[in-house]
Amino acid sequence: MEFIPVYIIFIPIIASMIVYLFNNKYISYLALVSQILITIIFIPYFNFLKEHGIHELYIGGWNKAIGIALKNDMLSLAFICLSIIIWWLILIYFWDRRKVDYKFLFFFLFLEGVFLGLLQTNDLFNFFVFVEATTIISAILIIYKKDGYSIRAGFYYLLFNSVGMIFYLIGLILVYIVVGTLNMDVISNTIILIKDTNIVKMAYIFMIVAMGVKAAFFPVYNWLPKAHGAAPASISALLSGLLVKSGLYGFIRIGQIFQFNYFNEFFFLIGFFTAFSGVLFAISQKDIKQILAFHTISQIGIVLMGLSSMSGNLYYGGLLHLFNHAFFKSLLFLGAGLIINEYKVRRVTEIRGVFKNFPFMSIYMIVGILSITGAPLFNGFVSKSIIEYELKNSFIKVIMLNIVNLGTIISFVKFSQIFFGNSDVKINKHINRTFSIFLLALMCIIIGNFYNPIASHLLNIDLPYVCHLDIIKWVKYIVNLAIGYVIYKKVIDRDYCLIKKIRHTKISFQTSNLMLLFFIFTMIIWSSILV
Amino acid sequence: MNIDILLSFFVVLISLFGLVVSRNIIKSIICFNMLQASAVLLFLNFVHSKEAVIPILSSIDSNKNIVDPLPQALMITAIVIGAAITALALMFSIKIFHYYGTLDWDELIKREG
Amino acid sequence: MIKRMFAIIILVVIMFAFWLAYLEIGELKNEYAKNYYLDKGFEETGSKNLVTAIYLDYRLFDSIFEAGILLLAVTGIMFMSKNDERR
């Protein structure tokens, strides 16, 4: 029971190495075996952690401030639950098309082991090693299909994220000089005395910028649409669902260590700009995967608007939206992958008749679309209404949130035109893919309706003000839908020059680096003016 | 009070300037490698001082002033990670040249198709 | 040209901020880890070379995953350089 954190890191890694060594069809069932083993080991650990609250494991038995520690609390437990579920579903999704030489399974399972390690570590340099390992594996998985577009996207992703993580290293040495240790708990206890010095501020700025690159904040998100649009479908679902959340997880942890409160407004503004530019670009795109990829950016903006206040109900609203987003974005990406596989084209204007060809899967995708736009009875509604309720004191912020919601609805009206009409494409049915999409839709509906026991079980809060049967919310949703449809028909469908120009904006690598420097510059100016 | 710390950070900033300005893919990879190397240099300069000796206990005297051994151990890992990423990035650039025929960032945008 | 001007201005500001942080290093230095390694490094790990003691004993977990990263980079390069003849 005590060594379970280490087991769930190493079991997928060893299974992946064995699968790679013996290129055999029967050995590749070991992937399923390792996944079942992890689930069986994790369930008693979940109950154990619910009683005790925090579990720390010092690797090697060394002193706390000198060795490496693994720590699990309720936040990391929720993330581990989420990642095991999503990895299961994606494993079911591509199970019948395991690539012939099993390298895909090798990278996939290794990524699971490394990601579970990232969520549990309590040491700053260990976190760096895990994040770099995640970056390398993701870059290799993005270029798995080996055509020109994928290789460009993967290269851009690799280089830009690595540049971002070097700033993390520079922040790390600044922290180490003033504190003397690298353990996150000891640092957060010691740094309270010296919080107002310039060194600690510079360290915080550098580390947050690195996490911002990883989590796709406003000026530095340009790697995300290319990478998520070019990857194969299951990897896109994994990247959008989980790996971009590792940046947000790092952001929460670093915020808990340093506890600087005067940056909260700054992150709220960054969240708003992220969300707004995400929907603006999403409205103008025509490729299915690019629309979904820009949506990931805007939903992360909404999560950041929630997480910017580091405590209270707004924080929990942002956290809940993070988990919900994993479910419905994976659902949409897996569905889009199925469609692209059968139709062989990627543009929204050319795909028609999905509802007639895939009746069940269209229903599940419609569930996903209703969740992401915040319809009542689904899980997007819960988290969006928590965030909206907490912001009701400030009128401008409510307007900002509503603009973003409206943009989301417009772009999904555009997305849903694939369901109508007819098409004469011969299709094959895949049971396992429809099954995994069905499970994701089921999770959306369950979390949407049973949010009270889940929230009080996992996060110890109660939400009395989120009500599904409130007539005002229904009316508001339908009015938003109508306004979105009207705006879409009048403005977007004509495809004006401005929209064409937005669609063809390409930001080069040099400009992205300039944006990264600009981000650091803005944080330095903000911190020196406001103190 | 080391002036070397400021000089190492200056090299970091020069590498960042190189990343903003370079038009060739290979130059970007070289600037990235230089960024990694100068970050290592910055790490080692933070704990260095002239009268300190190397952290190897040649005899059992523990009153000497040694250099901090922790950043050196961390930098072994960081150098390996930097080399792995540079190798992977160079392989990607070979494949990009194979598919597109050019190694210029602006030309790649035009030839995307 | 404008990009270069912006970049130079931003880099000058970052350098200035770092210089302000650098002035405070002298009084805020904390040497807890160094004293621990000096006192107890030899008797707990049995190695006279303290860098090796850290790299292979106190922080073995990092070193395992660094070897894993090397494995991944080599496998990735092998996978990428293989030409698919079936196309």
Side-chain angles (χ1 to χ4, degrees):
Chain A
M1 183 61 75
E2 205 182 294
F3 291 109
I4 285 183
V6 181
Y7 290 152
I8 63 175
I9 295 180
F10 279 106
I11 288 178
I13 293 182
I14 297 179
S16 75
M17 290 202 265
I18 296 179
V19 166
Y20 185 56
L21 273 180
F22 304 101
N23 267 333
N24 196 353
K25 181 167 172 245
Y26 298 105
I27 303 281
S28 72
Y29 280 93
L30 198 61
L32 276 178
V33 169
S34 85
Q35 196 76 9
I36 293 177
L37 212 60
I38 293 182
T39 320
I40 293 179
I41 290 182
F42 180 65
I43 294 178
Y45 185 66
F46 187 84
N47 296 330
F48 170 72
L49 203 67
K50 284 287 297 176
E51 303 167 15
H52 292 244
I54 291 184
H55 176 231
E56 282 197 28
L57 171 68
Y58 303 125
I59 294 193
W62 305 113
N63 190 359
K64 173 170 180 168
I66 295 294
I68 297 181
L70 296 179
K71 183 176 111 164
N72 276 326
D73 54 356
M74 293 313 292
L75 176 71
S76 64
L77 197 70
F79 267 97
I80 294 178
C81 250
L82 177 73
S83 61
I84 291 182
I85 291 176
I86 297 228
W87 244 280
W88 252 122
L89 292 171
I90 298 188
L91 194 63
I92 297 178
Y93 181 83
F94 72 80
W95 187 247
D96 59 340
R97 266 188 54 185
R98 283 164 290 167
K99 315 288 180 176
V100 177
D101 46 359
Y102 305 107
K103 288 190 175 129
F104 195 78
L105 270 178
F106 168 68
F107 289 119
F108 189 74
L109 290 174
F110 208 110
L111 185 60
E112 177 173 16
V114 168
F115 192 71
L116 288 173
L118 191 154
L119 294 175
Q120 298 179 75
T121 182
N122 203 18
D123 184 88
L124 283 178
F125 190 70
N126 210 8
F127 189 73
F128 169 75
V129 172
F130 280 131
V131 170
E132 292 282 15
T134 306
T135 307
I136 290 182
I137 304 184
S138 309
I140 297 178
L141 280 176
I142 286 175
I143 64 167
Y144 201 80
K145 281 198 285 203
K146 284 196 222 172
D147 53 345
Y149 185 53
S150 313
I151 298 187
R152 267 192 62 207
F155 178 65
Y156 192 109
Y157 170 80
L158 178 71
L159 219 52
F160 197 54
N161 280 24
S162 304
V163 169
M165 284 316 278
I166 296 203
F167 280 108
Y168 183 88
L169 270 186
I170 299 180
L172 183 83
I173 188 62
L174 286 173
V175 167
Y176 175 68
I177 281 291
V178 295
V179 178
T181 177
L182 280 179
N183 194 357
M184 287 191 200
D185 289 336
V186 179
I187 291 180
S188 66
N189 288 337
T190 321
I191 218 165
I192 293 181
L193 308 166
I194 43 174
K195 228 165 70 159
D196 283 332
T197 58
N198 279 330
I199 290 188
V200 174
K201 279 190 218 169
M202 282 305 283
Y204 178 72
I205 289 177
F206 281 140
M207 289 174 113
I208 288 286
V209 162
M211 286 300 118
V213 168
K214 204 73 185 116
F217 290 168
F218 163 63
V220 288
Y221 60 73
N222 284 306
W223 54 269
L224 199 141
K226 297 182 186 161
H228 288 206
S234 39
I235 299 300
S236 278
L238 195 66
L239 280 175
S240 259
L242 275 185
L243 294 178
V244 97
K245 310 296 178 3
S246 71
L248 283 168
Y249 178 78
F251 176 77
I252 296 177
R253 286 293 186 209
I254 294 179
Q256 280 174 353
I257 295 177
F258 282 89
Q259 289 170 357
F260 276 124
N261 280 328
Y262 49 85
F263 272 113
N264 288 347
E265 291 296 321
F266 180 74
F267 286 121
F268 188 84
L269 279 177
I270 293 268
F272 172 65
F273 282 125
T274 314
F276 185 63
S277 60
V279 285
L280 197 63
F281 279 100
I283 293 177
S284 62
Q285 295 292 326
K286 280 197 178 173
D287 188 343
I288 283 190
K289 278 197 175 164
Q290 298 274 61
I291 296 182
L292 294 174
F294 276 108
H295 261 294
T296 304
I297 297 178
S298 81
Q299 300 298 312
I300 287 179
I302 297 182
V303 170
L304 189 59
M305 281 204 268
L307 284 181
S308 65
S309 67
M310 291 307 276
S311 59
N313 273 335
L314 191 60
Y315 170 75
Y316 286 120
L319 208 56
L320 201 58
H321 196 69
L322 201 145
F323 289 122
N324 291 339
H325 172 75
F327 285 120
F328 44 73
K329 194 43 77 77
S330 319
L331 171 69
L332 288 172
F333 261 114
L334 291 180
L338 199 56
I339 293 175
I340 290 181
N341 229 357
E342 302 299 329
Y343 279 74
K344 308 265 187 289
V345 289
R346 287 166 68 129
R347 297 163 74 90
V348 177
T349 50
E350 295 172 16
I351 299 179
R352 288 278 181 272
V354 172
F355 195 77
K356 291 214 166 58
N357 284 333
F358 301 98
F360 287 113
M361 200 208 57
S362 317
I363 298 181
Y364 306 142
M365 279 189 73
I366 291 180
V367 166
I369 291 180
L370 287 175
S371 311
I372 197 174
T373 51
L377 289 183
F378 296 107
N379 53 355
F381 173 73
V382 176
S383 42
K384 283 190 183 174
S385 56
I386 295 179
I387 296 181
E388 198 166 331
Y389 180 79
E390 290 299 322
L391 288 178
K392 67 183 188 311
N393 300 324
S394 155
F395 189 60
I396 298 184
K397 296 188 181 177
V398 173
I399 298 257
M400 288 183 187
L401 197 62
N402 281 330
I403 292 179
V404 174
N405 274 342
L406 193 62
T408 312
I409 290 182
I410 294 177
S411 55
F412 273 100
V413 166
K414 180 173 186 170
F415 186 82
S416 67
Q417 61 179 314
I418 61 174
F419 289 123
F420 306 114
N422 293 319
S423 94
D424 34 297
V425 172
K426 265 177 44 154
I427 52 157
N428 321 318
K429 300 251 189 234
H430 297 267
I431 299 286
N432 57 336
R433 298 185 177 198
T434 321
F435 182 62
S436 90
I437 298 182
F438 163 68
L439 281 179
L440 277 172
L442 199 67
M443 292 295 302
C444 279
I445 299 182
I446 288 181
I447 295 185
N449 283 322
F450 295 109
Y451 55 91
N452 247 337
I454 291 181
S456 58
H457 210 52
L458 275 183
L459 300 170
N460 295 335
I461 51 173
D462 53 323
L463 311 164
Y465 45 81
V466 178
C467 178
H468 282 304
L469 300 175
D470 197 0
I471 285 292
I472 298 184
K473 296 282 172 63
W474 280 94
V475 167
K476 203 163 130 184
Y477 181 68
I478 295 181
V479 165
N480 266 343
L481 203 57
I483 296 179
Y485 187 69
V486 164
I487 292 184
Y488 171 66
K489 272 294 175 202
K490 293 281 185 236
V491 178
I492 312 291
D493 212 13
R494 307 280 178 83
D495 206 23
Y496 290 130
C497 271
L498 183 65
I499 299 182
K500 270 204 175 78
K501 229 192 274 190
I502 295 181
R503 184 160 73 227
H504 292 298
T505 309
K506 294 201 192 310
I507 300 192
S508 63
F509 185 67
Q510 296 103 310
T511 320
S512 307
N513 283 326
L514 192 60
M515 292 293 179
L516 177 63
L517 292 178
F518 179 68
F519 193 25
I520 304 179
F521 175 73
T522 317
M523 284 189 82
I524 293 178
I525 299 287
W526 183 280
S527 78
S528 59
I529 286 183
L530 249 64
V531 170
Chain B
M1 296 305 280
N2 262 336
I3 196 72
D4 297 336
I5 298 179
L6 288 179
L7 286 177
S8 322
F9 194 70
F10 187 58
V11 179
V12 170
L13 295 183
I14 291 181
S15 325
L16 282 172
F17 184 72
L19 276 175
V20 171
V21 176
S22 60
R23 270 184 49 184
N24 197 346
I25 287 185
I26 303 291
K27 271 194 200 164
S28 293
I29 298 179
I30 292 178
C31 281
F32 169 72
N33 207 4
M34 202 167 109
L35 183 63
Q36 285 268 359
S38 53
V40 171
L41 194 61
L42 183 67
F43 246 81
L44 296 176
N45 268 325
F46 259 104
V47 292
H48 176 70
S49 62
K50 279 212 166 80
E51 56 270 354
V53 294
I54 53 176
I56 295 184
L57 304 172
S58 46
S59 54
I60 320 289
D61 50 353
S62 56
N63 291 335
K64 284 275 179 69
N65 192 7
I66 63 164
V67 181
D68 201 346
L70 182 69
Q72 306 184 8
L74 300 182
M75 284 302 105
I76 298 179
T77 305
I79 293 175
V80 168
I81 293 179
I85 293 183
T86 306
L88 211 54
L90 283 171
M91 190 67 210
F92 284 10
S93 66
I94 292 179
K95 280 292 182 181
I96 287 181
F97 185 71
H98 178 63
Y99 277 107
Y100 283 105
T102 175
L103 272 183
D104 193 287
W105 283 111
D106 302 329
E107 278 289 321
L108 271 184
I109 294 180
K110 280 190 213 153
R111 284 193 204 189
E112 188 180 315
Chain C
M1 202 55 208
I2 294 203
K3 257 200 296 199
R4 297 181 189 216
M5 299 297 297
F6 269 142
I8 292 181
I9 296 176
I10 293 177
L11 290 176
V12 164
V13 170
I14 296 179
M15 187 71 188
F16 179 66
F18 187 78
W19 179 70
L20 285 180
Y22 159 77
L23 290 176
E24 302 175 353
I25 290 183
E27 64 229 25
L28 284 180
K29 214 166 189 173
N30 186 342
E31 302 194 338
Y32 173 73
K34 184 171 105 173
N35 296 333
Y36 186 93
Y37 290 129
L38 198 54
D39 294 334
K40 298 200 196 148
F42 180 54
E43 56 184 84
E44 279 187 359
T45 61
S47 123
K48 284 191 183 170
N49 188 344
L50 289 177
V51 181
T52 313
I54 297 178
Y55 184 72
L56 286 180
D57 229 332
Y58 289 110
R59 294 196 156 251
L60 183 60
F61 203 56
D62 280 342
S63 315
I64 291 177
F65 284 101
E66 168 202 339
I69 285 182
L70 270 176
L71 169 70
L72 287 167
V74 170
T75 313
I77 292 182
M78 271 171 49
F79 162 69
M80 278 209 67
S81 62
K82 193 169 134 168
N83 274 326
D84 277 334
E85 305 291 336
R86 290 182 281 249
R87 278 182 203 255

